[in-house]
Amino acid sequence: SALAEAAARAGFASAPSERASRPILVVDDSLTTRMLEQSILESAGYEVELAVSAEEGLAKARARAFGLFMVDVEMPGMDGYEFVRQIRADPELRSVPAILVTSRNSPDDRRRGEEAGASAYIGKGEFDQRHLLETIRRLAGEP
């Protein structure tokens, strides 16, 4: 709910002058969160593909080239940390930036994300749409 409230307060960002050349894969088991993140990203000019689990996300990541992964931590089965560990172990995927987006925001959780190889860690409770889009632009090498 904090994620939805923050997005509503911030409004939608304007589209960047240059779009990412590859789509963003959003991996989250929550329909509400997936739809919200998709809406934010598409409003900013990004192409978005969705996965409802880390397992599905991993299959999609291996089947298509993505510019960035946005991954929830807490999911049934494989969690977001393991998803990131697996893409970092894959020579074809290891260089793709991965952002963990989660309600788990303790220093230990952030450390686990860093150890797994996450490029960034964004807490849903402190969600800021502009910060998210700036982080994506930075990781994607956009101006």
Side-chain angles (χ1 to χ4, degrees):
S1 65
L3 185 63
E5 290 171 15
R9 282 194 310 271
F12 290 108
S14 58
S17 58
E18 293 182 26
R19 293 181 183 194
S21 59
R22 294 183 175 171
I24 294 174
L25 178 62
V26 173
V27 182
D28 199 305
D29 62 316
S30 164
L31 174 64
T32 303
T33 302
R34 280 194 316 273
M35 295 297 106
L36 177 62
E37 290 173 351
Q38 179 181 28
S39 184
I40 290 168
L41 295 170
E42 287 180 346
S43 292
Y46 295 99
E47 179 186 348
V48 178
E49 190 161 332
L50 304 173
V52 301
S53 69
E55 293 86 355
E56 180 186 9
L58 200 52
K60 287 186 174 198
R62 290 179 172 145
R64 182 178 183 193
F66 290 94
L68 186 129
F69 303 118
M70 242 174 92
V71 186
D72 184 26
V73 168
E74 295 181 274
M75 293 182 282
M78 183 190 308
D79 67 14
Y81 298 125
E82 183 59 26
F83 175 89
V84 173
R85 278 191 287 276
Q86 289 207 22
I87 64 168
R88 292 298 173 244
D90 186 320
E92 298 291 321
L93 302 173
R94 73 170 39 124
S95 65
V96 179
I99 301 173
L100 288 174
V101 182
T102 181
S103 57
R104 300 182 70 157
N105 205 21
S106 75
D108 284 344
D109 293 320
R110 287 181 175 273
R111 181 187 47 73
R112 284 184 67 200
E114 188 176 295
E115 289 172 355
S119 309
Y121 193 100
I122 297 177
K124 290 179 182 176
E126 61 189 37
F127 183 81
D128 177 316
Q129 179 179 329
R130 286 185 185 93
H131 173 66
L132 171 66
L133 293 173
E134 286 170 10
T135 300
I136 290 170
R137 288 182 188 116
R138 177 179 52 81
L139 291 173
E142 296 176 19

